[in-house]
Amino acid sequence: MADERAESDRPGAVDRALQVMELIGVAGSAGVTELALELGVHKSTVSRILSSLEARGFVEQVPDGRKYRIGLTIVRLAGSTMATLDMTKCGQDTCDAVATQTGETTNLAVLNQSQAINVIEAAGSSSVALQTWVGQASPAYATSSGKVLLAELSETELREKLAGELERFTDATIVDIDELVEEVRTVKRRGWAMAVEELEVGLVAFAAPVRDHTGELVWALSVSGPRYRLDPDDAAKIVATVTTAAADLSRLFGYRAAGSAGA
């Protein structure tokens, strides 16, 4: 028992408390036994941590009294953070950084009905065009950003949203709804999308999702450029850049992916 008390008194106890909250946040709710197993500590240690967190409103017991969930204190703190965080500025900063790193045009887009609309943009050093994509709507099914945004929909919602004949823009445009559903499933599974000359001949783009603290998709981050610079057969580097930047921006907004809490 003395050893257990000593364990909770170490400086690492604060880190344990944070780990407990992260694990509960990822799982939705968790009990003393499963938290102790996940952290590799005694159940009594977890119980003391939970008692302290509960007293300050960071966690609360679910109605059955056997598990704990995130408390209102965390909700209030998260709301305060999101209220003061300038998401647009953060998005612009990310686009600027990615455009500088890749040399290609970088955008953040939202879904409006069946259209992907770019809301933030940064031109890369390799860009020679004066055209801006900000405010322009593109058919979601023919763009990398749009595929990421569509991947949040159920199959039923996807088919309803894209009901009717899909317009062909190039020979590579996916116009078969069943093929598109399969493509979107792939995007959802692997966490990023690619569009190779599906909207414009010679245009290649890669995109990844950006989420907020609730896990909801808020933007799709994309990098686009000519095929002679963005080779789809050698996409590993650009995909890593886009997915990492999108994940970093999501974490800035408070998003924690399942399994990211650590032991």
Side-chain angles (χ1 to χ4, degrees):
M1 183 67 70
D3 289 342
E4 294 171 14
R5 288 199 185 96
E7 181 180 3
S8 65
D9 290 338
R10 295 171 188 161
V14 174
D15 186 59
R16 287 290 188 214
L18 294 173
Q19 286 182 310
V20 165
M21 287 190 290
E22 287 183 331
L23 288 169
I24 292 173
V26 169
S29 65
V32 173
T33 299
E34 57 194 291
L35 288 169
L37 287 172
E38 185 71 26
L39 295 173
V41 299
H42 294 284
K43 289 193 289 185
S44 58
T45 299
V46 173
S47 293
R48 284 196 296 275
I49 292 172
L50 287 170
S51 293
S52 296
L53 293 174
E54 185 178 19
R56 303 186 71 88
F58 286 95
V59 301
E60 62 184 20
Q61 289 189 1
V62 297
D64 65 12
R66 290 176 294 183
K67 291 190 174 186
Y68 290 81
R69 63 191 178 193
I70 293 299
L72 291 177
T73 295
I74 293 292
V75 176
R76 286 195 295 269
L77 289 173
S80 175
T81 300
M82 293 307 294
T84 58
L85 182 64
D86 188 338
M87 294 180 69
T88 300
K89 182 180 184 305
C90 292
Q92 185 67 65
D93 289 346
T94 295
C95 283
D96 290 344
V98 174
T100 298
Q101 183 177 353
T102 63
E104 304 295 348
T105 299
T106 305
N107 284 283
L108 283 163
V110 297
L111 186 67
N112 181 26
Q113 298 302 321
S114 62
Q115 303 287 312
I117 300 178
N118 291 307
V119 293
I120 297 175
E121 180 179 88
S125 58
S126 300
S127 176
V128 295
L130 297 177
Q131 176 186 8
T132 176
W133 291 93
V134 172
Q136 293 196 29
S138 301
Y141 64 90
T143 68
S144 62
S145 291
K147 291 178 186 179
V148 166
L149 297 165
L150 291 174
E152 291 296 288
L153 306 177
S154 67
E155 181 175 339
T156 299
E157 291 173 324
L158 178 60
R159 290 180 180 275
E160 289 177 351
K161 192 172 289 291
L162 299 179
E165 185 175 349
L166 300 178
E167 182 180 355
R168 181 180 295 280
F169 299 96
T170 72
D171 290 342
T173 307
I174 299 175
V175 293
D176 180 84
I177 188 62
D178 293 327
E179 183 181 351
L180 183 62
V181 167
E182 188 59 35
E183 170 77 359
V184 169
R185 283 176 179 163
T186 298
V187 170
K188 181 72 171 180
R189 182 176 65 252
R190 71 187 179 192
W192 57 273
M194 174 173 63
V196 181
E197 301 188 270
E198 295 171 44
L199 182 63
E200 294 182 11
V201 173
L203 181 65
V204 175
F206 301 89
V210 176
R211 301 182 185 279
D212 65 13
H213 66 290
T214 69
E216 184 169 346
L217 182 69
V218 289
W219 286 323
L221 174 69
S222 69
V223 170
S224 59
R227 183 165 186 160
Y228 65 85
R229 287 201 305 262
L230 294 181
D231 184 356
D233 295 325
D234 187 26
K237 184 176 181 180
I238 192 70
V239 167
T241 298
V242 173
T243 54
T244 298
D248 288 346
L249 186 55
S250 297
R251 280 191 290 271
L252 183 60
F253 293 158
Y255 176 64
R256 294 293 182 269
S260 65

